[in-house]
Amino acid sequence: MNSSFEHRLSQNFDGLSDKLRQAGEYVAAHPVDTATRSLRAVAQDSGLAPATFSRLARAIGYQSFEGLREAMREKIGQRVNSFADRAARLQNAHEAGESGFFEAHVGACQNNLQTLLRDMDQDLLEAAVDRLQAARNVLLLGALGSTGVVEYLAYMAHFCTGNWSMASRMGASLGAGLADLDARDALIVVTKPPFSTRSIEAAQLAAGQGAYVVVITDSHRCPALRHASAGFVVPTDSPHFYSSYVTTMVLVEAMIGIMVSRAGPAAHQRIARVEESSRRLGEVWDG
């Protein structure tokens, strides 16, 4: 298994014991400490036994904790000190009152984007885009705060393909949208805490029918991840009271960008036809 730590953890999270989940969450939240400090020190700081981290490593596909730590070192590389220093400066400035909410929020979003770039399993991302591009139909589902992101994703997709659609839009039956999904189709679910029950159950139903399920969330605890063919856990840290969707927007924009770049002349021609139709219908200002 050649996937990132985050992907391994999310794929195995449901089957882990409470102690192993705690260890996984500690590693995910403290990558620098995991990469640079001894197992004894990591265990002491986390309040868990050293053996717990060794068991975690084996449970998610590493031969040993040292293998897990080496993966974290490779991921962080030479950026350990710079990221740690920047995080410390941001916290110190905020605590000292040197920056207001706007500055703190923008800084947090910038750090989230850097983390997304650093930690993204790009092989998984490209494989997911390939599978979505080959699907007969792609259904999109987002509830609560995730609704707007999924509508934006659908809007972008409709420029370049005609087989992506919103599930349960404007009161339409979610069950009707899912009923015909099979191994030829795909479902994309975006859900953040508090998780939508409908989104989780839709992921389970679609996976049970053989569909390719993509789940985008910000927590390894997301129940929909257990049903995902490809799961993406994006960082959303912010001083805001609600989850930040900045990295989620970047991820879905990247998905569509990768898809269009690989689609060939057909996508370019469709986009041109969509633009022409919009002008003829007076949907856009053509002054």
Side-chain angles (χ1 to χ4, degrees):
M1 188 161 52
N2 193 31
S3 54
S4 68
F5 167 79
E6 288 76 14
H7 181 61
R8 296 186 191 209
L9 180 61
S10 64
Q11 290 297 298
N12 292 280
F13 195 83
D14 190 51
L16 298 178
S17 67
D18 288 342
K19 289 293 186 183
L20 295 188
R21 290 182 181 185
Q22 291 176 34
E25 290 174 342
Y26 180 87
V27 172
H30 302 86
V32 175
D33 288 343
T34 303
T36 60
R37 305 186 69 191
S38 69
L39 175 55
R40 183 181 298 276
V42 169
Q44 183 175 359
D45 286 350
S46 67
L48 299 167
T52 303
F53 288 91
S54 297
R55 290 198 302 272
L56 168 70
R58 292 191 294 270
I60 62 176
Y62 295 101
Q63 292 185 350
S64 64
F65 179 74
E66 187 57 36
L68 185 158
R69 178 160 44 203
E70 185 59 32
M72 302 301 280
R73 288 181 184 136
E74 292 177 0
K75 180 182 71 173
I76 296 173
Q78 299 302 317
R79 289 165 290 204
V80 170
N81 290 332
S82 62
F83 274 99
D85 290 345
R86 266 185 266 176
R89 285 198 297 269
L90 178 62
Q91 292 172 353
N92 292 337
H94 181 68
E95 292 171 0
E98 297 176 9
S99 62
F101 175 83
F102 178 76
E103 290 84 357
H105 180 59
V106 171
C109 290
Q110 290 174 327
N111 285 337
N112 289 338
L113 288 170
Q114 291 171 331
T115 300
L116 179 72
L117 178 63
R118 183 187 69 209
D119 294 348
M120 173 56 61
D121 187 336
Q122 296 197 37
D123 290 338
L124 177 64
L125 175 59
E126 293 185 5
V129 172
D130 287 342
R131 182 62 181 81
L132 293 170
Q133 197 159 20
R136 178 184 61 170
N137 292 300
V138 178
L139 199 62
L140 311 175
L141 180 61
L144 305 175
S146 299
T147 304
V149 174
V150 173
E151 288 188 339
Y152 175 52
L153 175 57
Y155 179 80
M156 286 190 293
H158 287 163
F159 271 92
C160 55
T161 183
N163 64 339
W164 288 45
S165 61
M166 290 279 294
S168 190
R169 190 171 189 272
M170 300 295 289
S173 167
L174 177 58
L178 295 170
D180 295 325
L181 294 184
D182 60 30
R184 296 169 292 177
D185 305 307
L187 171 69
I188 300 177
V189 173
V190 180
T191 183
K192 308 285 183 68
F195 303 116
S196 163
T197 302
R198 281 159 50 88
S199 295
I200 296 165
E201 293 178 346
Q204 181 179 10
L205 180 60
Q209 294 174 196
Y212 185 84
V213 178
V214 175
V215 174
I216 300 174
T217 185
D218 64 350
S219 172
H220 297 289
R221 289 186 175 275
C222 177
L225 285 171
R226 73 189 70 168
H227 310 298
S229 309
F232 298 95
V233 180
V234 299
T236 58
D237 292 340
S238 169
H240 206 291
F241 78 96
Y242 201 72
S243 296
S244 169
Y245 276 81
V246 172
T247 51
T248 305
M249 297 288 278
V250 169
L251 177 57
V252 298
E253 287 178 343
M255 285 181 167
I256 297 300
I258 294 171
M259 188 172 72
V260 171
S261 72
R262 298 179 177 182
H268 173 267
Q269 293 165 6
R270 176 179 168 83
I271 292 171
R273 291 196 303 272
V274 170
E275 289 181 314
E276 176 61 22
S277 295
S278 295
R279 283 194 293 269
R280 292 180 63 183
L281 291 170
E283 291 183 318
V284 296
W285 178 255
D286 197 19

